[in-house]
Amino acid sequence: MSKNIIIKCEDLHHTYPSGVSALQGVDLAIAEREIVGVIGQNGSGKTTLVKHFNGLLKPTSGQVFVKGINTREAEIKEISRHAGYVFQNPNHQLFAGSVRKELEFGPANIGMSAEEIEERVRLAADFFGLEEFLDENPYRLSFPLRKTVGIASIYAMDPEIFILDEPTTGLDYTRARMVAALIKKLQDEGRTVLIVSHDMMLIAECCTRVIVLWNSRLIGDGTPREIFGNRELLEKTNLAPPQIFRMAEEIGLQHNGKTPLSVDEAVEAVERGERAG
Amino acid sequence: MTATNAAKEPIIRVEGLSFKYATATEKALKEINFTVFPGEYVAILGLSGAGKTTLCLSLNGIIPQMVMGEKEGRCLIKGQDTDEVPVREMAKTVGMVFDNPEYQLTQLTVEGEVALGLENLGIPYEEMLTRIKEALKVVGLEGLEERSPMQLSGGQQQRLAIAAAMAMYPEILVLDEPTTNLDPIGKEEVFEVLQRLNREKGMTIVIAEHEVEVIAEYADRVIILDRGELITNGPPAEVFNDVETISRLGLRTPQVTEFGYRLKKKGHNLPEQLPITLQDAVKKYSGVGGKK
Amino acid sequence: MNNMQLIANYVPGKSFFHRLHPSTKIIWVLGALLTVFFIKDPLIIFAFLVVVLVLIKASNTFATYRASLMLLLPIIFGLIFFQIVAPAFPKPWTPLARLGPFVLYNEGVYSALVLSLRIISVASFALLFIMTTYPGDLFTTMRMWGVPYEISFMVTTTIQLIPILQKEMNIILSAQRSRAMQASGFSALLPSIIPVFAGAIERVRQMSMTLESRAFGSSGKKTSIRQLKMGTLDYTLIILTIIALIGIFYLLWINQGFDRSQQMIFPAPAAIILFLGSIIGFFGILVLFARRIKN
């Protein structure tokens, strides 16, 4: 993995105008091409943290750099070329009369030429399988499809960094699998992805790294396996790893000397007859 | 459960229920038949668009009374037809919790939110206070009485919506994906609350939900819908062991069950009925690995 | 990002005004409305406004009040502008100055002052009422006065919907800004307003389902969690208010509403300053709004 740092926080603090302190001294560096899961209970500061990465929020103190740009000194318009933020609820962003216009909105805002816009819309429609819906009104689509249009509208802007806020919430298993596949595709294209989610199966499957927030502080940082294996951390934050991981831990099943994260790994582990020493 | 059912009258009886939304071309529900007995804990499973919400909304008469469309068949709650009893009267028997908690919160304080239904039922002041206290305790929101519901986290809002419904002491509580915004622990908490209501108060629970691990742990019965049709209706151990059907429908079975199913296919010696909960799995799989 | 708070809503507190029964406050607001409507002396209305502002300050609601006033000011400035050049007064008008195509009249300045002060003072008093009255209590009071259940509920629910929609608007604005929306003023409006409206429709639809599911409007008697009681203070204040109103109206009647339009002659520079001020104020506030949306 390349070690080019793409997002960097230095002693980041954020206090809301109401006086609520949502982040207290977060230091973090994210490298290009990392797929980072951001987990923690509701209210732990996850969303506040990632909203700093496209400039929606500015640090109360400390610094945030995105692609070397100090977010304090840049407008969202400038940062959003590099970091795209997909909101949890697509209904909060969709407004245009057609999916096509929805996809054109972001690219037009960042000043792409007409040809570029057309090309980006075509690529986004292709990537997300939206060709047949381009002329539909987004409000006539089902919720899962609207959610897809929401992600596609950011993809059309071609950012290197994707910030996904609860991408699988409200989606059934089949749709959640599709989101996981999309994240894999983003990874293959060499993009950096941050996933704020409660969906531990998604985190286990997609992420190369997981950071844990608790009470406005960053208290855990490691691979999914390391984080899910840290009982103390999980108990403190009230988070639970996927069921298969918990089971494997209980019965001492190991895969390459590590606790399996997925059913695939667990089955393989049994086949090899691997057990914890 | 089943042993005692013979003696009891079903509390919910759905007979040949079909519904087509006015704006749709295809039916959202197609000739659904099932019954629920008092005190049962029933989970409804299915992909988005399978008809889960439509079915839930039919159980207190919102469909067809407040939603335009064509309905066929009947839905009887304690023998009363949902076509005939207004939703607001049916509300005295059937409590309803919807998927989006924010839309269900209409009051300025947590206390006021729980009180709303009680005020409408004409519950005397003193008893209202007792019920509010109890409901907030059950969902773990005590001490937040004066808070604005808007200031609560998504999970807290969802639990508040449940508290508001349960404080009315409905005989049946219907919940349409009530744990969407919750973290895994939050989901378990909600299911535990429901289990307590079910066990201690004998409340009949019908819940639409995606998370199969929690369904397996708590529900007495699972109904699977697919494109408006009822595919399966049985105890979770049976339903989740039918892994072929479940995956054909694009759903999944609990991870521990899938694990056992795949091992079995590879020739491992495992019990006829695979475990569906973590606890059971740990017991049954402790010696896993021995081939036939 | 600033939370845009455009319209006042309930501000929790325990001030004198918070503790009064809504009935007392409603009588005050109605009394003030009637009185101010008949007073024609801008100085008296101004004095009344000062009293209201002191009360607002004393109820710890000034910050919310100031934000709400922002919405009112463009209307006030517009009103001042049109009154000065075309007073709502019988002719003949006394010209004071000429600015390009506009002739500024003495009667215009007078009526601009009277009308704008009337609106501001009554609106401020009404805002004070809204900011210090728990919507649930308003509901209970309306029921007490015999207003039908459904109407009472609609009024209180609408008041409560406002902060929710404001919150929604903030989320939507940040969602659009994440797509690099050029958020300068009105071009920002469409992409933000459509989701707010679509959301509001869906919200109202779901809310009505929720209300029905909570037996709202069902048969049988209703109870209330808020134990609202008229205290001795409330009764005393209402009686005093009624006596005071009778006195005020007697005074107003014998003095013909303190009409001083013939005595008050404004210097021309004052008229010019007021006139230009209204134009600058009007556009100034629009620019301020636009900038708020941007940041």
Side-chain angles (χ1 to χ4, degrees):
Chain A
M1 178 170 300
S2 99
K3 273 286 163 210
N4 287 334
I5 299 302
I6 194 162
I7 294 175
K8 194 170 170 153
C9 299
E10 290 168 356
D11 194 28
L12 169 60
H13 288 255
H14 191 89
T15 307
Y16 283 103
S18 60
V20 177
S21 171
L23 290 176
Q24 296 171 12
V26 173
D27 286 293
L28 178 68
I30 292 170
E32 268 175 24
R33 294 166 172 265
E34 277 193 297
I35 310 293
V36 183
V38 184
I39 65 174
Q41 277 192 300
N42 289 325
S44 57
K46 307 183 297 272
T47 306
T48 307
L49 176 67
V50 295
K51 278 191 175 162
H52 280 84
F53 300 159
N54 81 332
L56 270 176
L57 291 176
K58 309 269 166 160
T60 308
S61 74
Q63 312 285 341
V64 176
F65 296 93
V66 176
K67 285 276 286 181
I69 304 169
N70 186 339
T71 63
R72 276 173 189 281
E73 282 144 28
E75 282 193 46
I76 300 178
K77 197 185 154 191
E78 192 185 333
I79 307 167
S80 58
R81 282 167 206 276
H82 306 292
Y85 192 111
V86 182
F87 277 66
Q88 178 179 342
N89 186 348
N91 299 347
H92 283 144
Q93 68 172 81
L94 302 185
F95 70 97
S98 71
V99 171
R100 186 190 307 279
K101 285 187 187 135
E102 203 62 65
L103 299 184
E104 287 167 350
F105 182 67
N109 284 340
I110 55 173
M112 284 190 189
S113 70
E115 296 82 57
E116 275 177 300
I117 294 174
E118 200 181 318
E119 176 64 4
R120 285 310 303 170
V121 170
R122 197 187 58 74
L123 283 173
D126 176 54
F127 192 95
F128 292 89
L130 291 170
E131 290 99 337
E132 53 178 314
F133 304 109
L134 276 175
D135 297 309
E136 287 267 354
N137 186 317
Y139 279 97
R140 293 186 63 92
L141 302 178
S142 68
F143 181 83
L145 263 174
R146 280 208 297 275
K147 214 154 161 143
T148 313
V149 175
I151 308 178
S153 73
I154 298 297
Y155 183 83
M157 296 169 74
D158 199 15
E160 297 103 300
I161 305 163
F162 273 77
I163 303 162
L164 308 175
D165 190 358
E166 293 289 355
T168 55
T169 290
L171 300 186
D172 58 41
Y173 179 61
T174 303
R175 292 287 177 177
R177 297 288 316 150
M178 289 168 66
V179 170
L182 284 176
I183 293 171
K184 288 253 160 74
K185 274 172 85 177
L186 291 174
Q187 183 178 27
D188 292 343
E189 289 191 354
R191 297 174 204 268
T192 309
V193 185
L194 282 101
I195 308 165
V196 178
S197 183
H198 289 315
D199 184 344
M200 296 303 154
M201 276 175 62
L202 178 79
I203 299 278
E205 183 180 348
C206 297
C207 295
T208 56
R209 177 180 175 192
V210 177
I211 60 174
V212 186
L213 282 140
W214 180 74
N215 262 355
S216 317
R217 289 189 173 82
L218 199 150
I219 61 160
D221 187 348
T223 64
R225 221 182 296 274
E226 283 162 3
I227 297 295
F228 290 145
N230 186 338
R231 284 191 180 224
E232 202 188 323
L233 187 74
L234 292 174
E235 248 163 59
K236 190 170 176 183
T237 51
N238 242 344
L239 293 165
Q243 190 183 39
I244 196 72
F245 186 90
R246 286 155 88 181
M247 183 204 79
E249 263 189 336
E250 294 272 344
I251 64 172
L253 199 59
Q254 300 238 310
H255 180 259
N256 293 336
K258 290 167 188 159
T259 312
L261 271 179
S262 64
V263 176
D264 286 345
E265 286 183 0
V267 170
E268 223 174 279
V270 174
E271 289 284 284
R272 292 190 199 155
E274 227 184 297
R275 281 288 162 142
Chain B
M1 283 284 150
T2 9
T4 55
N5 283 345
K8 285 191 204 163
E9 270 294 302
I11 194 165
I12 300 172
R13 189 190 282 278
V14 176
E15 292 172 347
L17 179 68
S18 298
F19 187 77
K20 186 169 91 62
Y21 286 96
T23 50
T25 45
E26 221 191 310
K27 284 182 182 171
L29 290 178
K30 295 169 190 159
E31 301 219 18
I32 303 288
N33 290 292
F34 70 96
T35 51
V36 177
F37 287 91
E40 275 197 289
Y41 191 143
V42 181
I44 304 174
L45 190 61
L47 295 178
S48 326
K52 301 191 298 295
T53 299
T54 313
L55 183 56
C56 285
L57 296 182
S58 301
L59 294 178
N60 76 341
I62 286 181
I63 286 178
Q65 294 178 34
M66 301 179 71
V67 178
M68 303 247 280
E70 291 162 37
K71 176 184 169 247
E72 286 161 61
R74 293 202 301 172
C75 181
L76 301 174
I77 304 296
K78 287 180 79 186
Q80 295 173 293
D81 196 321
T82 52
D83 280 359
E84 283 150 24
V85 183
V87 176
R88 52 186 175 271
E89 302 298 335
M90 193 60 98
K92 295 168 183 173
T93 313
V94 184
M96 187 68 80
V97 177
F98 302 89
D99 55 349
N100 189 334
E102 243 186 79
Y103 290 180
Q104 299 172 69
L105 304 175
T106 57
Q107 300 296 300
L108 275 185
T109 63
V110 167
E111 184 184 54
E113 196 59 56
V114 183
L116 178 67
L118 304 178
E119 293 174 332
N120 292 328
L121 293 181
I123 304 296
Y125 181 69
E126 297 300 327
E127 195 192 332
M128 223 186 304
L129 290 186
T130 321
R131 286 209 202 175
I132 292 169
K133 205 172 161 201
E134 183 200 22
L136 290 180
K137 188 166 179 239
V138 169
V139 300
L141 291 177
E142 324 106 290
L144 300 179
E145 286 81 359
E146 295 304 314
R147 259 314 163 84
S148 157
M150 300 303 294
Q151 288 170 355
L152 301 180
S153 70
Q156 288 173 322
Q157 287 181 340
Q158 240 147 354
R159 281 182 282 162
L160 176 58
I162 294 172
M166 64 162 270
M168 295 170 75
Y169 289 171
E171 286 169 68
I172 305 167
L173 189 57
V174 179
L175 307 99
D176 182 15
E177 295 186 34
T179 67
T180 308
N181 284 310
L182 301 191
D183 47 37
I185 297 281
K187 277 189 210 282
E188 263 177 52
E189 274 171 19
V190 167
F191 272 78
E192 256 162 44
V193 166
L194 297 176
Q195 189 180 44
R196 231 178 305 153
L197 291 172
N198 177 252
R199 296 260 165 90
E200 290 166 17
K201 298 205 184 294
M203 210 179 266
T204 306
I205 310 277
V206 178
I207 181 169
E209 174 63 45
H210 286 311
E211 205 72 24
V212 288
E213 278 82 10
V214 269
I215 295 179
E217 182 95 32
Y218 295 98
D220 295 331
R221 193 140 62 92
V222 180
I223 288 175
I224 297 185
L225 296 180
D226 182 55
R227 278 167 283 186
E229 282 174 58
L230 192 151
I231 305 292
T232 315
N233 178 3
E238 228 170 76
V239 172
F240 288 129
N241 262 282
D242 186 0
V243 182
E244 278 100 358
T245 305
I246 295 227
S247 35
R248 177 171 54 80
L249 299 175
L251 298 165
R252 67 180 186 88
T253 196
Q255 283 190 314
V256 293
T257 319
E258 195 196 335
F259 170 70
Y261 172 78
R262 295 200 4 212
L263 287 183
K264 232 189 208 172
K265 273 196 134 177
K266 288 184 187 287
H268 289 264
N269 188 14
L270 285 171
E272 183 63 37
Q273 194 166 64
L274 292 166
I276 59 168
T277 64
L278 177 61
Q279 227 185 347
D280 201 18
V282 171
K283 258 185 258 158
K284 292 205 173 123
Y285 294 148
S286 56
V288 82
K291 293 216 177 188
K292 275 181 202 169
Chain C
M1 156 157 155
N2 290 328
N3 270 10
M4 291 212 309
Q5 178 116 34
L6 292 181
I7 301 163
N9 44 276
Y10 176 65
V11 181
K14 292 201 158 51
S15 74
F16 169 71
F17 243 79
H18 280 90
R19 279 178 284 131
L20 284 181
H21 193 278
S23 299
T24 315
K25 288 185 266 187
I26 290 175
I27 290 173
W28 280 9
V29 172
L30 292 178
L33 182 73
L34 277 175
T35 312
V36 169
F37 189 76
F38 284 107
I39 295 178
K40 293 179 183 140
D41 184 343
L43 287 175
I44 300 180
I45 309 176
F46 183 72
F48 173 70
L49 176 63
V50 171
V51 173
V52 176
L53 290 178
V54 170
L55 287 175
I56 289 174
K57 191 80 200 163
S59 321
N60 282 323
T61 52
F62 198 78
T64 312
Y65 166 75
R66 202 178 41 200
S68 326
L69 204 61
M70 289 280 287
L71 210 62
L72 199 61
L73 283 179
I75 303 171
I76 300 288
F77 287 128
L79 182 87
I80 293 175
F81 174 86
F82 284 111
Q83 282 299 316
I84 293 178
V85 293
F89 248 78
K91 286 188 178 179
W93 300 331
T94 325
L96 286 177
R98 176 181 289 276
L99 275 183
F102 301 110
V103 183
L104 316 185
Y105 298 99
N106 190 54
E107 288 78 2
V109 176
Y110 184 84
S111 78
L113 286 178
V114 171
L115 289 180
S116 58
L117 283 169
R118 269 184 193 158
I119 294 177
I120 291 185
S121 56
V122 170
S124 304
F125 206 36
L127 282 173
L128 176 61
F129 167 71
I130 292 176
M131 291 185 299
T132 57
T133 306
Y134 183 82
D137 290 354
L138 178 62
F139 173 70
T140 314
T141 308
M142 289 171 79
R143 292 286 299 134
M144 223 172 75
W145 288 23
V147 180
Y149 198 81
E150 281 77 8
I151 293 182
S152 311
F153 203 94
M154 263 164 50
V155 171
T156 40
T157 307
T158 310
I159 292 179
Q160 288 166 54
L161 212 57
I162 292 164
I164 297 175
L165 291 183
Q166 280 175 8
K167 189 182 158 192
E168 198 93 325
M169 183 79 188
N170 286 327
I171 298 175
I172 289 163
L173 275 175
S174 42
Q176 303 306 30
R177 288 159 69 227
S178 295
R179 290 201 285 166
M181 179 175 71
Q182 328 273 337
S184 51
F186 295 103
S187 64
L189 230 48
L190 198 66
S192 318
I193 292 290
I194 289 178
V196 173
F197 271 98
I201 292 167
E202 179 60 17
R203 186 179 288 275
V204 168
R205 200 179 72 88
Q206 289 240 7
M207 236 161 81
S208 61
M209 286 188 193
T210 302
L211 290 175
E212 286 265 333
S213 303
R214 303 259 183 91
F216 171 67
S218 65
S219 56
K221 93 176 172 35
K222 308 284 174 241
T223 47
S224 172
I225 182 77
R226 300 276 297 190
Q227 298 291 300
L228 259 190
K229 283 210 182 71
M230 296 277 289
T232 332
L233 181 67
D234 288 297
Y235 285 115
T236 319
L237 284 173
I238 288 177
I239 293 168
L240 286 179
T241 308
I242 291 171
I243 295 172
L245 281 176
I246 294 170
I248 289 169
F249 274 94
Y250 178 70
L251 280 176
L252 281 174
W253 184 62
I254 56 169
N255 291 304
Q256 270 129 36
F258 300 99
D259 188 345
R260 310 224 292 162
S261 56
Q262 300 313 309
Q263 291 93 320
M264 279 186 153
I265 304 296
F266 298 94
I272 294 171
I273 289 170
L274 194 62
F275 181 74
L276 293 177
S278 70
I279 300 174
I280 294 167
F282 183 80
F283 289 105
I285 291 211
L286 290 190
V287 170
L288 217 71
F289 270 132
R291 290 200 31 178
R292 275 239 206 147
I293 290 175
K294 191 163 183 181
N295 298 309

